[in-house]
Amino acid sequence: MAVLSILCYPDPRLEKIAKPVAAVDARIAQLVADMKDTMYDAKGIGLAATQVDVHERVIVIDISEERDDPLVLINPELVWTSPASHLNEEGCLSVPGIYDGVQRFDAVHVRALDLDGKVRVVEAEALLAVCIQHEMDHLQGKVFVEYLSPLKRNRIKTKMRKAQREDAR
Ligand code: NI
């Protein structure tokens, strides 16, 4: 078991754009195992590799109550989005303690590789759809607070920097 450290907003490494995974091999299997450990340890429902400073297109998600139903998405691509969208309250392990509304598609279909390197299409709605969109944004270097007004975003940046200074003491 390896719990990785999670980058905290506004760390500039969260803005890096992830590259596609070239081969689903033992290295990626280890990364996925470590990302699951990290997500469960942090009590999160999703984690993108970007957040652990690995800039490859890998996501782990688990929205189950029992925390025993992980979904692994490698090189995810949205192949369909619903016409309808809604405002959803979101949080992020990289922005602890901050929750705010983001407009997301109600449902998405995502094509990705699984850990066996097989292509699968996941049809997601509600919380799972929101989570997939949130984590895919991370792979594009986008944290959810970037959707908020500049005023709110700056307040959050100030708050995060202050918290990080206090942690470093
Ligand atoms: Ni996040």
Side-chain angles (χ1 to χ4, degrees):
M1 158 147 188
V3 173
L4 308 172
S5 73
I6 298 174
L7 299 178
C8 263
Y9 185 80
D11 192 309
R13 290 171 290 182
L14 287 168
E15 295 168 20
K16 287 193 188 179
I17 296 176
K19 294 195 181 99
V21 169
V24 183
D25 54 13
R27 185 181 65 86
I28 295 299
Q30 185 62 54
L31 171 65
V32 166
D34 291 347
M35 284 174 61
K36 282 187 205 165
D37 290 344
T38 306
M39 173 179 69
Y40 290 131
D41 179 71
K43 299 181 169 55
I45 58 171
L47 188 71
T50 307
Q51 293 175 277
V52 294
D53 201 21
V54 176
H55 302 282
E56 295 180 70
R57 295 183 61 80
V58 179
I59 288 169
V60 297
I61 290 173
D62 191 341
I63 58 164
S64 70
E65 288 283 337
E66 297 76 19
R67 318 293 287 144
D68 61 356
D69 189 21
L71 173 67
V72 177
L73 300 173
I74 299 167
N75 297 345
E77 301 294 340
L78 289 182
V79 291
W80 178 81
T81 56
S82 60
S85 64
H86 69 286
L87 198 65
N88 180 77
E89 176 105 330
E90 291 183 28
C92 179
L93 293 175
S94 292
V95 201
I98 303 292
Y99 301 88
D100 215 320
V102 178
Q103 196 76 20
R104 300 290 191 186
F105 297 115
D106 289 355
V108 297
H109 295 177
V110 61
R111 184 174 58 214
L113 300 176
D114 64 15
L115 260 184
D116 297 320
K118 293 207 174 74
V119 178
R120 53 184 293 197
V121 175
V122 177
E123 300 187 359
E125 56 178 22
L127 179 60
L128 182 58
V130 169
C131 197
I132 288 170
Q133 292 168 79
H134 175 114
E135 301 310 332
M136 286 185 69
D137 273 352
H138 276 301
L139 300 179
Q140 291 301 118
K142 189 163 188 177
V143 177
F144 83 100
V145 298
E146 300 300 326
Y147 289 103
L148 308 178
S149 70
L151 181 69
K152 271 190 180 173
R153 197 163 58 236
N154 283 329
R155 274 197 202 132
I156 293 166
K157 274 186 190 166
T158 304
K159 194 174 171 186
M160 289 294 124
R161 287 200 179 107
K162 186 163 177 276
Q164 285 156 30
R165 273 198 305 276
E166 281 163 6
D167 281 353
R169 267 181 206 150

